Amino acid sequence: MKNKFVGLILLPFFLSSCSKDVYLFSSFHEPANEGLRFLYSYDGYKWTDLNRTFLKPEIGNQKVMRDPSIAQGKDGTFHLVWTSRWRDDKGFGYASSKDLIHWSPERFIPVMEHEPTTVNVWAPELFYDDQANEFVIIWASTIPGRFERGEEEEKNNHRMYYTTTKDFQTFAPTKLFLDPKFSVIDAVIIKRNASDYVLVLKDNTRPERNIKVAFGTKPTGPFTNVSKAFTEKFTEGPSVAKVGDDWLIYFDSYQAKTYDAVRTRDFKTFTDVKSYISVPEGHKHGTIFRAKKKILNGLLKGNPEGMKGL
């Protein structure tokens, strides 16, 4: 039985190592002023830091880059959004790249300017809707006095908002994405099939401060049936990777100062796999996405010319 159990544990590693793609994990280090970093993995469990930055933040009042989220479009372009300031910015940063090395000029996307009392725009997250051929961007903002609250201060009572875009030039009007009747941040959209989506989110209320899931039939929601927490308190920043038949949900256990993960197949039962993962010290959360090995080879060499012939 022991050998059979070990085989089951190692199977996802074998399946992933045979893939033509690799896993990349966008990252930043505190105090978030140096810019975009990456981890990479061949199996989705063991991560290596590229140990350099690839884009220095130049926009926003504070000129920082937190929570970098990346998604790739149909044409192969990588799109990046990030938190540009803790407070007062009413939008987020944006840039694009073909190789993750050379980036377009940075732009500030003012998605909450129509709400003058907005306190913040936190953790924008990209999702590419391949059915509609458009990107859904979700983020957390506080508008004091707008929603019911519990023990939180009025300026820490978040709800999720969203916009959509096909070209990152024009954006649909901002709308409310999620009001679960509690303060919510750090949400990630997961597609299981054409009419089955999961939202991984942080319940940011004072009694909770942990991670849960909700369910919907479209990437723009509505998302309902919020689960019980599957992490301890003081966890945030979920990032999700599909490895074989499993989903790995990574998260920052910020009070314990560790990076942990659980594994699930149905988003109802969750298995702690922190003893099987390895995340470099200093990594702060972004998103996990797949990329061709030639992209990683270019990052490793620090020169896109290194990708030729691969």
Side-chain angles (χ1 to χ4, degrees), residues 55-310:
L55 182 65
K56 183 177 176 61
E58 300 291 353
I59 53 89
N61 293 319
Q62 201 173 4
K63 291 184 172 55
V64 297
M65 181 181 291
R66 310 184 66 84
D67 322 307
S69 174
I70 293 179
Q72 192 173 23
K74 186 170 62 175
D75 66 352
T77 300
F78 294 97
H79 299 274
L80 164 70
V81 294
W82 67 90
T83 306
S84 59
R85 190 177 185 178
W86 274 106
R87 305 274 183 183
D88 299 328
D89 274 2
K90 292 180 173 55
F92 49 77
Y94 167 77
S96 64
S97 175
K98 288 288 190 181
D99 57 14
L100 302 178
I101 299 171
H102 292 106
W103 291 88
S104 68
E106 298 174 29
R107 289 193 284 128
F108 183 77
I109 310 298
V111 289
M112 294 297 285
E113 274 194 342
H114 63 292
E115 292 282 4
T117 62
T118 299
V119 174
N120 59 338
V121 173
W122 279 1
E125 186 78 18
L126 281 170
F127 175 83
Y128 177 59
D129 182 355
D130 56 359
Q131 292 176 267
N133 188 29
E134 67 180 11
F135 291 86
V136 180
I137 312 170
I138 60 176
W139 66 89
S141 287
T142 294
I143 303 175
R146 182 65 55 86
F147 299 99
E148 62 187 271
R149 65 180 177 90
E151 299 176 21
E152 292 69 47
E153 296 180 2
E154 194 59 64
K155 291 187 176 181
N156 197 26
N157 187 27
H158 298 81
R159 295 301 187 271
M160 297 299 301
Y161 294 84
Y162 82 102
T163 184
T164 60
T165 183
K166 291 183 179 292
D167 56 10
F168 290 88
Q169 298 296 322
T170 58
F171 296 82
T174 294
K175 295 181 180 179
L176 181 67
F177 179 74
L178 180 69
D179 173 19
K181 308 305 180 184
F182 57 78
S183 181
V184 56
I185 64 172
D186 292 354
V188 181
I189 303 168
I190 304 301
K191 180 180 180 179
R192 291 196 286 188
N193 61 50
S195 60
D196 184 5
Y197 294 82
V198 179
L199 188 71
V200 187
L201 59 97
K202 178 184 179 182
D203 181 339
N204 199 43
T205 57
R206 298 305 90 182
E208 298 290 332
R209 285 179 280 190
N210 47 36
I211 300 174
K212 303 176 177 180
V213 294
F215 304 88
T217 58
K218 298 187 300 182
T220 54
F223 286 91
T224 58
N225 299 322
V226 178
S227 72
K228 294 181 179 179
F230 58 86
T231 69
E232 299 294 330
K233 294 182 180 180
F234 307 109
T235 51
E236 64 183 9
S239 305
V240 185
K242 183 74 183 299
V243 180
D245 293 328
D246 298 319
W247 297 91
L248 300 186
I249 304 175
Y250 284 83
F251 52 90
D252 187 349
S253 298
Y254 57 92
Q255 189 176 65
K257 300 187 185 306
T258 60
Y259 223 90
D260 300 324
V262 297
R263 182 171 58 206
T264 186
R265 290 194 176 183
D266 57 9
F267 290 94
K268 295 179 181 178
T269 58
F270 302 88
T271 303
D272 187 332
V273 293
K274 63 183 176 183
S275 61
Y276 300 106
I277 67 168
S278 176
V279 179
E281 185 177 355
H283 166 73
K284 300 296 289 185
H285 64 268
T287 52
I288 299 171
F289 59 100
R290 303 290 291 269
K292 300 297 182 184
K293 286 184 178 178
K294 67 178 183 180
I295 295 291
L296 174 59
N297 289 335
L299 294 171
L300 287 167
K301 296 178 181 180
N303 184 345
E305 292 297 314
M307 297 186 292
K308 291 184 177 180
L310 296 175

Side-chain angles (χ1 to χ4, degrees), residues 5-23 41-47 242-246 248 250 261 263 265 272-279 290 293:
F5 176 76
V6 172
L8 289 172
I9 293 295
L10 292 178
L11 181 59
F13 294 83
F14 174 76
L15 291 174
S16 295
S17 64
C18 294
S19 171
K20 293 181 180 180
D21 291 349
V22 297
Y23 296 92
S41 174
Y42 294 105
D43 59 24
Y45 286 77
K46 305 295 184 182
W47 297 88
K242 183 74 183 299
V243 180
D245 293 328
D246 298 319
L248 300 186
Y250 284 83
R263 182 171 58 206
R265 290 194 176 183
D272 187 332
V273 293
K274 63 183 176 183
S275 61
Y276 300 106
I277 67 168
S278 176
V279 179
R290 303 290 291 269
K293 286 184 178 178

